[in-house]
Every structure is written in C-alpha cells, then in structure tokens.
C-alpha cells in the first residue's frame, strides 16, 4: 500500500500517502540503456557508409525522448499527502511539484470522509469535508487502495482522540 499510518511522539496520528512507483529510476535507466544498445545493432550493418549518419540522429532522438519521458513521469508522480490527526485538529498537506504545498485544516470532530463511487474524476473518489470546505485525498491511489483508505479514515476519525 502506498500509504502508512504512524503515531507521533505528541500523540497525533500521521497518514503519509505517496504515488505508486512500479518502475524505479534504476530500472528506467536500464530500459533506456537497452533501447540504446538494441538501436545500435542495425547501425552495425551500415557502419562506414553515409547511411549511418542519416540513421544515427533518429536513434539518438528516440533514446533522448524516452529518457525525457521517464524524467517527466517521475517529476509528475512526486506527489505526497500528509494527514495529521491530533486531539482536536485534522490537518492535510498536499505536496505537488507543479502547484507547491496546499494545506487544509479542520476541527477533528467535524471532519467527515466521503466516498463518491461515481461522478468524481476517478472511481471511489475520497474527500474530506469540514469547516465549509471539501478537499480530495488519495486521488493518485488505485481504486482498491482508495477503498481501503476510506475504511481506515472512517475508523481513525471515529476513534476518540488520544
């Protein structure tokens, strides 16, 4: 699960959510290297001819494009959310590389999780409602992970404050 609950020393509970990463950066570099090596194989047939200089730029542009696509993907998945539940407050910080940090805070007693099975941007869309605002949480998780997260949020918010 790309989320984890942790108890802080001050008695607060902290939920950390992060985007799933199925291909680590080292694996991505292996894919780029493999495309480069396998792209060189056909070029050996035209080694020493003028045709090599016509094909080489296309192979290099392909490798560069693949590397840039991986880099952009890693930067866009650098999304984290931290929900802190103290005795009286619920505080959510959403860190996005493009938008910066977005924060939301509410009295814990009035914080209410809601799951929208249909009609949201993703199936089983989860929001937290309180103090007249509604904020999303865990939209980057898979559908099954959002269902499990919703059940955890209901259970943690119903539990009496420590």
């Amino acid at each position: 699960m790309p989320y984890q609950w942790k108890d802080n020393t001050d008695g607060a509970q902290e939920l950390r959510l992060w985007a799933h990463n199925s291909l680590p950066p080292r694996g991505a570099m292996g894919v780029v290297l493999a495309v480069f090596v396998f792209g060189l194989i056909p070029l050996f047939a035209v080694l020493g001819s003028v045709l090599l200089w016509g094909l080489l730029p296309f192979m290099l542009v392909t490798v560069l494009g693949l590397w840039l696509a991986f880099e952009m993907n890693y930067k866009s998945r650098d999304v984290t959310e931290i929900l802190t539940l103290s005795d009286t407050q619920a505080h959510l910080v959403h860190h996005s590389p493009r938008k910066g940090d977005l924060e939301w805070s509410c009295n814990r007693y009035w914080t209410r999780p809601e799951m929208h099975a249909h009609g949201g941007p993703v199936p089983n869309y989860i929001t937290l409602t309180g103090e007249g605002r509604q904020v999303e949480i865990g939209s980057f998780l898979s559908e099954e992970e959002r269902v499990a997260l919703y059940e955890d949020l209901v259970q943690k918010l119903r539990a009496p404050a420590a």
Side-chain angles (χ1 to χ4, degrees), residues 36-127:
F36 177 71
V37 169
F38 287 120
L40 285 178
I41 292 173
L43 295 181
F44 285 127
V46 293
L47 197 61
S49 73
V50 178
L51 192 57
L52 172 71
W53 299 108
L55 295 176
L56 187 62
F58 290 103
M59 195 270 303
L60 293 177
V61 166
T62 301
V63 171
L64 178 67
L66 183 62
W67 178 73
L68 288 174
F70 277 129
E71 287 297 313
M72 287 178 54
N73 188 21
Y74 284 122
K75 285 182 181 169
S76 68
R77 282 187 300 164
D78 191 22
V79 176
T80 56
E81 292 179 344
I82 301 172
L83 175 66
T84 306
L85 300 175
S86 67
D87 293 345
T88 58
Q89 286 290 110
H91 183 76
L92 178 67
V93 177
H94 175 89
H95 172 74
S96 173
R98 294 183 185 173
K99 297 179 184 176
D101 288 351
L102 302 172
E103 295 189 33
W104 172 81
S105 193
C106 177
N107 186 322
R108 180 180 175 154
Y109 181 77
W110 297 110
T111 304
R112 191 175 73 244
E114 295 177 358
M115 182 185 296
H116 309 279
H118 306 290
V122 292
N124 295 329
Y125 186 63
I126 301 174
T127 58

Side-chain angles (χ1 to χ4, degrees), residues 130-144:
E131 291 190 8
R133 284 185 59 199
Q134 189 174 38
V135 294
E136 68 179 24
I137 184 169
S139 62
F140 48 82
L141 299 176
S142 72
E143 192 171 342
E144 296 83 19

